[in-house]
Amino acid sequence: MDASRNPTASADWLDAVRWDADGLVPAIAQEAGSGDVLMMAWMNREALAQTAARGQAVYWSRSRQRLWHKGEASGHVQQVHEIRLDCDADVVLLKVTQLGHDPGIACHTGRHSCFFERLQPAEQGGWRWAVTDPVLKDPSTIYT
Amino acid sequence: MDASRNPTASADWLDAVRWDADGLVPAIAQEAGSGDVLMMAWMNREALAQTAARGQAVYWSRSRQRLWHKGEASGHVQQVHEIRLDCDADVVLLKVTQLGHDPGIACHTGRHSCFFERLQPAEQGGWRWAVTDPVLKDPSTIYT
């Protein structure tokens, strides 16, 4: 994206988004190179405007109730190559490169992707969630 | 997935999901072969249980307030190869193959993916959403 552009020059594109009752939309981050889905977080209007302007992912943290520039604490910044909107205008898709001291780590657990649990048949019948992806970096050393 | 398994034999895996105040979680459908993100919809407990049991995507339609077996009207069924859960246990990721009379069409507009609008620089400055992906089949001929 182009950080030199003023995202508020025309706000029509932000008005086109169908924000939910809390003023949020889900935003999916997909790794541009691999196609891996890294995470899903939430954006409000300001987060989406800043994401376009900075060319880096900015989300709205529902737990902390504030803007969250992804990587501000971990260094695991997401460079944004593309922003897409779905047919109902209520979900955003980002194509990103996961940058930082430890490239390729999107998850706060130190894993590549947040989707590291897979549903598998359980021995006693039914199903269980199984962790399938390795920790690439000890999370206690990420947030220092 | 294995339709012969009884998804209620052990419901622990369903209890592990952090359902929102409406009893829902976002579910992202990613095409297994291409890695393309096709759509995002919502699931309640029953939708996720049925998805695992049937091996086909079943969502909860918020607009119709009922279970929605994807493809029930269009024939555009999603075969589910894998179900993943994220680190906060509040987002589901499906790896699917988009089946049906018109393989590869996930969107009700007749397009491959629901994310067919891309943010682009506008001539007058700022940004605009631009449709980038073609209609593969006239939607009026899908829902007959």
Side-chain angles (χ1 to χ4, degrees):
Chain A
M1 311 307 292
D2 180 356
S4 71
R5 287 179 173 277
N6 177 359
T8 57
S10 166
D12 292 350
W13 69 283
L14 290 166
D15 294 336
V17 177
R18 285 177 53 199
W19 308 98
D20 72 9
D22 296 320
L24 304 176
V25 288
I28 302 163
Q30 181 181 30
E31 193 168 54
S34 66
D36 292 342
V37 176
L38 299 175
M39 56 180 283
M40 196 214 86
W42 296 81
M43 288 186 174
N44 63 4
R45 189 178 172 98
E46 179 65 16
L48 182 54
Q50 286 202 20
T51 297
R54 303 172 75 145
Q56 295 188 347
V58 177
Y59 301 102
W60 175 257
S61 169
R62 296 185 303 172
S63 57
R64 289 172 287 176
Q65 287 287 303
R66 67 169 178 84
L67 287 174
W68 163 39
H69 178 208
K70 168 76 176 163
E72 63 192 11
S74 64
H76 297 166
V77 168
Q78 291 176 335
Q79 179 184 0
V80 175
H81 305 285
E82 198 174 291
I83 302 177
R84 288 181 169 267
L85 187 66
D86 81 339
C87 53
D88 293 329
D90 61 2
V91 184
V92 165
L93 174 65
L94 308 178
K95 301 288 183 77
V96 306
T97 299
Q98 187 68 54
L99 303 175
H101 313 300
D102 316 290
I105 297 182
C107 185
H108 75 288
T109 64
R111 292 181 176 86
H112 173 54
S113 161
C114 293
F115 295 94
F116 56 80
E117 289 198 282
R118 191 170 62 197
L119 194 65
Q120 293 186 338
E123 287 182 19
Q124 69 275 27
W127 304 93
R128 69 183 181 90
W129 299 106
V131 173
T132 56
D133 301 356
V135 172
L136 302 176
K137 182 166 182 177
D138 180 345
S140 71
T141 67
I142 295 176
Y143 302 94
T144 53
Chain B
M1 312 305 293
D2 180 353
S4 70
R5 287 181 172 275
N6 177 359
T8 58
S10 165
D12 292 351
W13 69 281
L14 290 166
D15 295 335
V17 177
R18 284 177 54 200
W19 309 99
D20 73 8
D22 297 320
L24 304 177
V25 288
I28 302 162
Q30 181 181 30
E31 193 168 53
S34 66
D36 292 343
V37 176
L38 299 175
M39 57 180 283
M40 198 213 84
W42 296 82
M43 287 186 175
N44 64 2
R45 190 178 172 96
E46 179 65 17
L48 182 53
Q50 285 202 20
T51 297
R54 302 172 75 144
Q56 296 189 346
V58 178
Y59 301 101
W60 175 258
S61 169
R62 296 185 303 174
S63 57
R64 288 172 288 177
Q65 288 286 303
R66 66 168 179 83
L67 287 173
W68 164 38
H69 178 209
K70 168 77 176 160
E72 62 191 13
S74 63
H76 298 167
V77 168
Q78 292 177 334
Q79 179 184 359
V80 175
H81 304 286
E82 199 173 292
I83 301 177
R84 286 182 170 267
L85 187 65
D86 82 341
C87 53
D88 293 328
D90 61 3
V91 184
V92 165
L93 174 64
L94 309 178
K95 302 287 183 77
V96 307
T97 299
Q98 188 67 54
L99 303 176
H101 313 301
D102 316 290
I105 297 180
C107 186
H108 76 287
T109 64
R111 293 180 176 85
H112 174 53
S113 161
C114 292
F115 295 93
F116 57 79
E117 289 198 281
R118 191 169 63 196
L119 194 65
Q120 294 186 338
E123 287 181 19
Q124 69 276 27
W127 305 93
R128 67 182 184 90
W129 298 107
V131 172
T132 56
D133 301 356
V135 173
L136 302 176
K137 182 167 182 176
D138 181 343
S140 70
T141 66
I142 295 175
Y143 301 94
T144 52

